Each structure stands twice: as structure tokens, then as C-alpha cells.
Amino acid sequence: MKKLIRAEAIVPFLISLLLITALPIHISWWMWVPIFLLPDLSMLGYLINNKAGAISYNIFHHQLLAVVIAGLGYIFHQPYIELAGLVLLGHSSLDRLLGYGLKLENGFNYTHLGHIGKSENNQN
């Protein structure tokens, strides 16, 4: 089931890329990589503790929130708000595709898709 959840993440990722290209925003191609990685700044919450890290990470990687933000940008004709939502959606979808899910309060490596990184049994 986890592999299916990961695989289906390609759809919102591709949709977000398609919709981003349709926006009336013109940004240099080299700026897209840092823009696309901005949601990962939410990991800074882990500097406080695991709970704060999980909350901050999950807010910026929650796909419903991303869709709501993009929708509000569309409804109110605010292309930069729409861009923010689409970037959040695309980023979180790519994360899901790579196996990085929403974080549990146990620590960064514990996600709703399972444990990421080295297996706890093999940490020497």
C-alpha cells in the first residue's frame, strides 16, 4: 500500500508543474530550484524539538493546505499566492514520491509512509 501511495503522488506533482507554467509569472529558470526547495525550511522546527519540527514540517507539506492556498490565489486573482500553493503541492508530492511523508512526533525519520533512512536495527 505504501508503494501505491508513493506512486500516485506523481499526479499532483505533474498537475502542479502544468499549472505553474500557465501562471502569468516570469521568473528566471535558475530561480525555480530554490523556490521549489523553500518548503524544506520548515525542518528548522526540529531545532526546537521533535514535536515542533513535526508540526512545522507537516504544515508546509500538507497537500490540502497547498490546494486551498492555490485555490485562494486563483479565486482572488493573486498569481503569487497561487504559485505558493502550487509550489507547496508540487514539493510535497515529490516528497511523497520519494518516500518522505508527513512527520510523526517520534522524530524526523518517522513518517506516515513508514521509517525513512537507515533501519533502526542496523544503526551501528
Side-chain angles (χ1 to χ4, degrees), residues 50-112:
N50 285 340
K51 184 175 182 175
I55 291 170
S56 65
Y57 185 93
N58 290 344
I59 287 171
F60 285 91
H61 289 79
H62 196 284
Q63 293 185 332
L64 179 59
L65 181 61
V67 170
V68 167
I69 291 170
L72 289 172
Y74 178 77
I75 289 168
F76 293 110
H77 306 287
Q78 298 296 318
Y80 288 99
I81 302 296
E82 190 175 354
L83 173 66
L86 292 172
V87 166
L88 290 173
L89 179 62
H91 177 95
S92 63
S93 297
L94 184 60
D95 275 3
R96 302 275 196 303
L97 186 63
L98 297 174
Y100 297 96
L102 296 174
K103 305 301 180 192
L104 305 177
E105 292 179 7
N106 306 30
F108 183 79
N109 292 343
Y110 300 92
T111 77
H112 81 288

Side-chain angles (χ1 to χ4, degrees), residues 13-75:
F13 174 71
L14 293 175
I15 289 171
S16 69
L17 291 181
L18 179 68
L19 292 175
I20 285 171
T21 61
L23 290 175
I25 297 173
H26 303 288
I27 298 174
S28 298
W29 66 268
W30 56 270
M31 285 297 297
W32 285 109
V33 172
I35 289 171
F36 198 74
L37 294 175
L38 277 174
D40 280 338
L41 288 176
S42 63
M43 287 187 278
L44 293 174
Y46 282 99
L47 294 174
I48 298 169
N49 61 39
N50 285 340
K51 184 175 182 175
I55 291 170
S56 65
Y57 185 93
N58 290 344
I59 287 171
F60 285 91
H61 289 79
H62 196 284
Q63 293 185 332
L64 179 59
L65 181 61
V67 170
V68 167
I69 291 170
L72 289 172
Y74 178 77
I75 289 168

